[in-house]
Amino acid sequence: MRFASYNLLDWTGTPTTQVEGDRQQRVVDTIVSLRADVLAVQELKGPAREAGRLAAQLGQRVGMTSLVETTVDGPVHAVAAGDNTLHVAVLWRPGSVTAVPGTLRRYGGGQSADPLWRGPGWGTLVRLGLDVGGRTVMVGSYHAPVFGRERRVDQAETVLGAMTRPAGPVLLGSDSNTIGAARHPGSSDFYDHDPYADREWFADLVHQCRWQTDADGRRWHWADRRPAEVWELGGLHDTAVRSPVWQATTGHWPTCDYGRRGIARRIDTIHASTHVLDAVTRHAVFDTPLARAASDHLPVFVDIDPTQVTDGR
C-alpha cells in the first residue's frame, strides 16, 4: 500500500486564469503519477461549506474518493475545514482500502469541541480508520499553523492524542511547518539539519526559531523542533529515517522567500506509530519536474507491507 501526503498550494478546483488552470492540472497529473492508494492533502481552498465539494472534485479527477458512510449524517467527505479558507482531506483509491464506519473525526474551523481548536489561526486535522489488509489503520491529514510557535507545540500534543487514542496503527501526513526531530538510527544526530542556525537573521524566523541573547547583546538562533519532538516522544515517528537520503520538500518554488535565501526545508512529513513503522519498506520525496512545477511543496510517500502492520505496541 502506498500512502502519500501533498500540499496542493491553494487548490480551488475552479481557477480564474489559464495559468492557474494549467498549474492545477499539473497537480492532478502529479497525483496520478504518484499512484497512491491513500492520499492526505492540505490546502483545499475555498469557503468552509465547499470543503467537501473540493475533495469530491479532486477525487473525481484523480480516480479517488473521500466519501464515508455515517449513521447520523449519511455519506460525508473525509475533510476538515480550516478557519482561513484552507482545508485538509484524506482520499483513497476504491478497492485498495475501505473506510471504517464511526471513525471519522474533524478538527478545525470550529468543528471540534477541543479548546485547542477554537479561535483563528489554529491548524486543521481530519482522521479516520481505513481497513488495510484486514487491520484498521488510523489515517490523518494535518496542516499545522503557519504562525505561533507555542501554538504549534500545544497543538502537536492534541494531534498526538487525536491520532493515537485509542492506541493502534497510525499514519499521519502533514505540512508540519516545522523542522523534524527524528534522529539517525543509532545516532544522536538529527536526521534534519538545522536550516536556520547558520543563516543571517530575517524577520520570518520569529515564526520558526528559538533564540537567545547574551550579556553583550549577541544573539543566536536555532530551529524550533519542539512540535516534532512531541510526536517523536509520544509515539509518532518520522518515517523519513527509513530513507538514507535527505531531501527537501520546499524551497524550489520561484516565490518562496526561504528558497530565494537558499534555505531548503523538509516540512512535509509522514509519521507512523510503532505498529506501522516496521511495515514501511520505502520513504521518498516525489521529486519530478512535473511536481516542481505544480506546487510549492513536493509530495512525500511511504510504501507499506500490510502484512507487517501489527496490532500491539
Side-chain angles (χ1 to χ4, degrees), residues 210-252:
R210 304 178 75 183
W211 58 86
Q212 188 169 337
T213 305
D214 64 19
D216 296 322
R218 291 187 295 260
R219 185 186 66 234
W220 63 97
H221 58 274
W222 62 95
D224 188 352
R225 301 180 190 262
R226 290 177 299 163
E229 287 176 332
V230 167
W231 286 358
E232 291 292 338
L233 294 174
L236 284 182
H237 304 291
D238 194 332
T239 61
V241 297
R242 297 303 173 105
S243 173
V245 179
W246 183 92
Q247 187 169 0
T249 61
T250 63
H252 60 278

Side-chain angles (χ1 to χ4, degrees), residues 17-287:
T17 68
Q18 185 63 48
V19 171
E20 178 61 9
D22 292 343
R23 185 196 71 80
Q24 292 194 22
Q25 182 59 49
R26 290 194 290 273
V27 169
V28 169
D29 294 340
T30 297
I31 293 173
V32 171
S33 299
L34 258 173
R35 303 193 310 277
D37 297 290
V38 183
L39 176 66
V41 297
Q42 303 86 39
E43 291 201 17
L44 298 172
K45 184 177 177 64
R49 64 181 181 277
E50 296 293 314
R53 181 190 64 81
L54 290 168
Q57 182 189 56
L58 177 64
Q60 186 176 27
R61 294 179 66 176
V62 301
M64 304 181 84
T65 184
S66 58
L67 206 56
V68 182
E69 290 291 340
T70 67
T71 56
V72 177
D73 300 319
V76 298
H77 290 281
V79 299
D83 58 15
N84 57 355
T85 74
L86 294 178
H87 320 303
V88 299
V90 173
L91 301 95
W92 55 94
R93 196 168 306 284
S96 297
V97 298
T98 55
V100 177
T103 59
L104 176 64
R105 299 290 185 274
R106 303 165 171 178
Y107 305 84
Q111 298 176 84
S112 173
D114 194 305
L116 285 183
W117 260 282
R118 291 179 186 163
W122 296 105
T124 314
L125 168 72
V126 62
R127 48 136 273 203
L128 78 158
L130 295 177
D131 186 321
V132 179
R135 287 187 174 87
T136 297
V137 177
M138 197 63 67
V139 172
S141 178
Y142 174 56
H143 196 177
V146 177
F147 307 125
R149 292 178 299 114
E150 304 302 326
R151 180 179 296 165
R152 277 198 295 271
V153 177
D154 286 343
Q155 196 161 359
E157 281 193 58
T158 308
V159 171
L160 177 69
M163 294 301 303
T164 62
R165 299 293 181 272
V170 173
L171 276 171
L172 175 63
S174 71
D175 173 357
S176 63
N177 275 312
T178 195
I179 301 303
R183 299 178 187 270
H184 288 286
S187 169
S188 61
D189 295 332
F190 286 114
Y191 179 82
D192 290 277
H193 67 285
D194 188 329
Y196 310 125
D198 296 328
R199 299 287 177 167
E200 184 178 349
W201 180 268
F202 61 102
D204 270 6
L205 291 186
V206 298
H207 309 298
Q208 292 291 327
C209 290
R210 304 178 75 183
W211 58 86
Q212 188 169 337
T213 305
D214 64 19
D216 296 322
R218 291 187 295 260
R219 185 186 66 234
W220 63 97
H221 58 274
W222 62 95
D224 188 352
R225 301 180 190 262
R226 290 177 299 163
E229 287 176 332
V230 167
W231 286 358
E232 291 292 338
L233 294 174
L236 284 182
H237 304 291
D238 194 332
T239 61
V241 297
R242 297 303 173 105
S243 173
V245 179
W246 183 92
Q247 187 169 0
T249 61
T250 63
H252 60 278
W253 200 248
T255 59
C256 174
D257 194 37
Y258 290 92
R260 288 200 299 256
R261 297 172 184 270
I263 298 175
R265 304 180 297 164
R266 188 185 70 91
I267 61 174
D268 300 271
T269 59
I270 294 174
H271 283 73
S273 65
T274 53
H275 316 79
V276 182
L277 203 58
D278 286 340
V280 174
T281 60
R282 182 186 181 193
H283 169 105
V285 176
F286 193 71
D287 187 356

